[in-house]
């Protein structure tokens, strides 16, 4: 439960990261390593439990046989944890409730991918934010290499150009690849995100509402961010849930208490977080393809879990 709570907190925290938050955010990376440590601690506990059941590694004092006696008595024993762990929560409602929470966590993990995509889409955006980015309305001084943007029906939807812009105060900023709705010409005004202390960095041209999201420092889930979870949620409701209902609860319970199965799950979670670490620390330099593929793989693993339970 502690491992689950830590993973859920990490997913929710990441999913609500503002677009321009400087990374690493204090506490985010330690929480990720805490999740890794807890999932492997659970695997270790299951391995010890399995070894005790099969080899009697933790026999009570005075036992003569190779097996420990059933841990149902409240008399003196080796540890309170042994008595607590003797009840494996085998009720059918609990098994399916636990499955539902795991699927919810997987959906949250996919939603967190949206947080990564919004939090600093590139090193360049990060450099602007860290240099003290601000929004301004700038005037076009010169437009170079103007190119039309067209849709599938060959209609003009906008323009791309290299712009030299004049900002309030007299400074000039060059934007190499600016996108505008109308053809840029000297004197036209555009929205600009730039760093007043480092005009040599250039800037980003766009609508004020789009640019101000990089200046937002408040945590919060957004509609566009949660949309990342619609597909996995639909997959859970249409595929995973019916299959799990068709599976035997004892098969799902066996998976939950299997050291081998849980080692596979722990390895998948660890791999996912290791791929996410450059995003959490703000050191990534490439695109999100590897992490996206890892998210699909993680989802596939938890899709396969009830399928395997139904077949056994």
């Amino acid at each position: 439960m502690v491992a689950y709570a830590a993973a859920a907190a990490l997913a929710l925290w990441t999913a609500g990261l503002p677009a321009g938050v400087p990374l690493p955010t204090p506490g985010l990376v330690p929480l990720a390593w805490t999740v890794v440590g807890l999932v492997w601690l659970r695997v270790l506990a299951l391995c010890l439990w399995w070894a005790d059941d099969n080899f009697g590694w933790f026999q009570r004092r005075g036992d003569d046989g190779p097996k420990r006696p059933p841990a149902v008595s409240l008399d003196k024993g080796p540890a309170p944890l042994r008595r607590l762990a003797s009840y494996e929560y085998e009720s059918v409602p609990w098994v399916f409730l636990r499955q539902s929470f795991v699927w919810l966590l997987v959906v949250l993990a996919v939603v967190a991918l949206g947080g990564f995509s919004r939090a600093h889409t590139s090193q360049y955006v990060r450099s602007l934010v860290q240099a003290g980015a601000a929004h301004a309305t700038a005037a076009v001084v010169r437009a170079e290499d103007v190119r039309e943007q067209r849709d599938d029906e060959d209609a003009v939807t906008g323009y791309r150009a290299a712009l030299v812009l004049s900002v309030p105060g007299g400074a000039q900023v060059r934007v190499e690849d600016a996108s505008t709705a109308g053809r840029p010409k000297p004197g036209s005004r555009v929205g600009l995100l730039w760093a007043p202390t480092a005009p040599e960095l250039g800037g980003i041209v766009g609508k004020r509402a789009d640019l101000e999201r990089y200046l937002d420092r408040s945590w919060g889930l957004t509609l566009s961010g949660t949309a990342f979870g619609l597909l996995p949620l639909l997959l859970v409701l249409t595929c995973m849930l019916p299959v799990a209902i068709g599976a035997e609860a004892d098969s799902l319970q066996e998976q939950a208490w299997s050291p081998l199965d849980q080692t596979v799950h722990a390895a998948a979670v660890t791999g996912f977080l290791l791929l996410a670490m450059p995003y959490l620390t703000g050191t990534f330099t490439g695109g999100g393809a590897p992490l996206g593929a890892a998210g699909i793989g993680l989802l596939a693993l938890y899709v396969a879990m009830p399928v395997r339970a139904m077949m056994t």
Side-chain angles (χ1 to χ4, degrees):
M1 288 183 177
V2 176
Y4 180 91
L10 177 64
L12 278 173
W13 189 352
T14 306
L17 285 175
V21 63
L23 296 172
T25 298
L28 198 61
V29 174
L31 182 57
W33 285 117
T34 299
V35 172
V36 171
L38 287 172
V39 295
W40 283 107
L41 181 62
R42 180 172 183 271
V43 170
L44 176 61
L46 287 173
C47 289
L48 293 175
W49 177 262
W50 178 87
D52 188 25
D53 273 351
N54 287 272
F55 302 107
W57 283 9
F58 304 104
Q59 297 180 39
R60 296 184 185 184
R61 187 180 306 170
D63 277 350
D64 297 325
K67 299 275 189 176
R68 61 170 175 82
V72 294
S73 173
L74 295 181
D75 59 13
K76 61 181 181 179
L81 285 179
R82 160 59 65 189
R83 297 193 295 269
L84 178 63
S86 65
Y87 181 53
E88 299 181 6
Y89 304 99
E90 295 176 336
S91 69
V92 173
W94 167 251
V95 170
F96 285 105
L97 181 63
R98 184 177 58 206
Q99 283 289 108
S100 300
F101 276 112
V102 169
W103 295 334
L104 176 61
L105 183 57
V106 173
V107 173
L108 285 176
V110 176
V111 172
L113 295 178
F116 287 136
S117 69
R118 294 191 311 278
H120 295 316
T121 56
S122 68
Q123 291 279 5
Y124 178 64
V125 174
R126 245 186 345 270
S127 65
L128 284 178
V129 173
Q130 292 171 351
H135 177 269
T137 300
V140 176
V141 176
R142 188 169 64 255
E144 304 172 355
D145 190 24
V146 179
R147 306 177 303 279
E148 294 180 344
Q149 291 180 291
R150 295 180 177 272
D151 58 18
D152 295 338
E153 298 178 353
D154 203 33
V156 176
T157 59
Y159 298 85
R160 302 195 78 88
L163 301 179
V164 177
L165 304 173
S166 175
V167 296
Q172 288 193 349
V173 176
R174 182 178 178 86
V175 180
E176 294 295 341
D177 190 21
S179 178
T180 60
R183 179 179 289 274
K185 56 185 179 180
S188 59
R189 295 189 170 273
V190 295
L192 175 69
L193 184 73
W194 70 302
T197 59
E200 68 277 3
L201 291 176
I204 301 173
V205 170
K207 296 180 181 179
R208 183 183 185 94
D210 295 335
L211 297 176
E212 285 186 340
R213 68 190 180 96
Y214 292 113
L215 306 178
D216 187 9
R217 292 294 183 272
S218 59
W219 181 95
L221 294 173
T222 64
L223 183 60
S224 60
T226 52
F228 275 79
L230 293 180
L231 179 59
L233 180 60
L234 184 64
L235 189 62
V236 165
L237 295 177
T238 60
C239 298
M240 299 167 71
L241 184 60
V243 171
I245 293 176
E248 294 290 339
D250 57 353
S251 296
L252 295 172
Q253 174 73 0
E254 182 180 350
Q255 286 185 354
W257 284 78
S258 166
L260 179 59
D261 288 342
Q262 295 309 308
T263 297
V264 172
H265 294 166
V269 171
T270 302
F272 181 79
L273 288 178
L274 287 177
L275 284 172
M277 204 59 68
Y279 297 82
L280 295 173
T281 58
T283 59
F284 73 94
T285 56
L291 187 60
I296 294 173
L298 189 67
L299 183 60
L301 173 65
Y302 286 97
V303 169
M305 183 172 61
V307 173
R308 181 169 170 266
M310 187 173 65
M311 297 173 62
T312 57

